[in-house]
Amino acid sequence: MIDTHAHLNFPDFDKDLEQVIGESFKNGVEKIIIPGSDVLNSKKAVEIAGEHENIFAAVGIHPHYTDEDFSKLIELAKNKKVVAIGECGLDYFRLEGDITGNQKAQKELFSKHLELAQKTDLPLIFHNRESDGDFLEMVKGQNVRGVVHCFTADWSFAREALDLGFLISFTGIITFDKTGKLEEVIKNIPLAKIMVETDSPLLAPVPYRGQRAEPWMVREIIQKIADIKGVLPEEAEEMTTTTAKNFFGI
């Protein structure tokens, strides 16, 4: 199993990081990707990855942090343990104040990530929330590889993302989604186009709702995907693991 998106660089893990990492590897996790969401924790992701053979980093700035100094990411991206740019993208959820100005700033920041990915030949970890139209407009025609992380949109958006060559990554949300929307998406997506993630410490899957999510919980997400697609969990695990290894080059 590979947890392709675990924020082990968040303060939630400051007191017991090594214990969490050890427990995850003991329980079947083979590799972990730690994404950045600002300059400081991108640096921390690189540092943690540097201390562990099977942990890797991504560097990026979440769209909520448009005031961050992007130039500092460029040097971080040169580190040999960095396997992706992100998370990055657009997030229009609950925007307040100067909405137009905020959206413009997010697009400018996202453009810088797209450019950096092209220069480094690294894949992108996309964050997209209530910004489907603008997101698709910005990535169309770009010579980039990417995965839409923490997917919560519908099949229409998923199909367009797939047509652009992107992958889709699911979190524990699929274990408690009552809309049926994500189940439809999973049924329609080829298993080879799916990756899995916990988004730790957030979004713990059933039966761990309300707890801090940890990378070993990714097995519950794999099980749910297997149930929905009518395949053995071993098949879902093998395919999502292979896809992640190929995507991140690990």
Side-chain angles (χ1 to χ4, degrees):
M1 299 182 291
I2 296 181
D3 186 350
T4 63
H5 200 106
H7 292 284
L8 299 182
N9 48 350
F10 277 14
D12 306 70
F13 297 104
D14 283 352
K15 293 182 180 179
D16 60 349
L17 176 62
E18 294 304 318
Q19 180 180 338
V20 170
I21 291 172
E23 193 71 17
S24 296
F25 287 145
K26 188 173 74 174
N27 281 279
V29 175
E30 183 179 345
K31 300 177 189 293
I32 300 169
I33 312 296
I34 305 178
S37 56
D38 61 32
V39 172
L40 188 60
N41 67 35
S42 289
K43 183 175 183 290
K44 190 172 181 179
V46 172
E47 290 172 350
I48 296 171
E51 297 169 355
H52 299 272
E53 180 181 359
N54 290 317
I55 295 181
F56 302 86
V59 296
I61 299 172
H62 187 284
H64 283 169
Y65 306 128
T66 55
D67 292 334
E68 291 266 320
D69 184 357
F70 185 83
S71 65
K72 294 182 178 179
L73 282 188
I74 298 173
E75 193 64 31
L76 284 173
K78 297 176 183 177
N79 189 283
K80 64 181 181 180
K81 293 303 292 283
V82 172
V83 296
I85 304 300
E87 60 185 284
C88 60
L90 303 174
D91 190 329
Y92 295 168
F93 182 64
R94 292 181 179 173
L95 288 184
E96 297 178 353
D98 181 8
I99 293 176
T100 301
N102 187 283
Q103 291 178 345
K104 180 182 178 183
Q106 287 194 28
K107 290 177 182 178
E108 290 173 352
L109 178 61
F110 189 22
S111 291
K112 293 177 181 178
H113 285 87
L114 294 171
E115 183 179 348
L116 181 59
Q118 291 170 341
K119 287 182 177 178
T120 58
D121 195 29
L122 290 173
L124 288 139
I125 299 174
F126 294 130
H127 176 101
N128 172 63
R129 191 172 190 189
E130 296 193 5
S131 52
D132 293 0
D134 283 352
F135 173 85
L136 289 170
E137 183 180 341
M138 289 194 67
V139 296
K140 284 179 179 177
Q142 297 284 340
N143 182 28
V144 294
R145 295 172 291 134
V147 56
V148 183
H149 117 87
C150 191
F151 190 88
T152 55
D154 59 16
W155 168 237
S156 176
F157 176 79
R159 183 170 52 210
E160 292 200 62
L162 291 170
D163 286 346
L164 290 169
F166 299 147
L167 301 178
I168 306 293
S169 183
F170 295 100
T171 65
I173 291 176
I174 67 172
T175 67
F176 53 86
D177 174 51
K178 296 179 180 179
T179 67
K181 180 176 64 175
L182 295 180
E183 182 171 342
E184 178 191 13
V185 173
I186 292 169
K187 283 181 178 178
N188 285 319
I189 291 181
L191 186 56
K193 299 294 184 180
I194 293 175
M195 292 198 296
V196 291
E197 58 171 293
T198 58
D199 207 8
S200 300
L202 311 169
L203 307 175
V206 173
Y208 305 103
R209 293 288 292 139
Q211 299 181 31
R212 178 185 67 177
E214 298 180 12
W216 58 267
M217 294 180 187
V218 76
R219 67 190 181 196
E220 304 296 338
I221 300 160
I222 290 172
Q223 180 66 60
K224 184 65 175 181
I225 289 171
D227 291 344
I228 292 172
K229 296 195 76 65
V231 301
L232 293 173
E234 292 81 5
E235 181 181 349
E237 178 181 331
E238 180 180 3
M239 184 63 76
T240 55
T241 299
T242 298
T243 297
K245 286 181 176 179
N246 292 336
F247 179 78
F248 291 109
I250 56 174

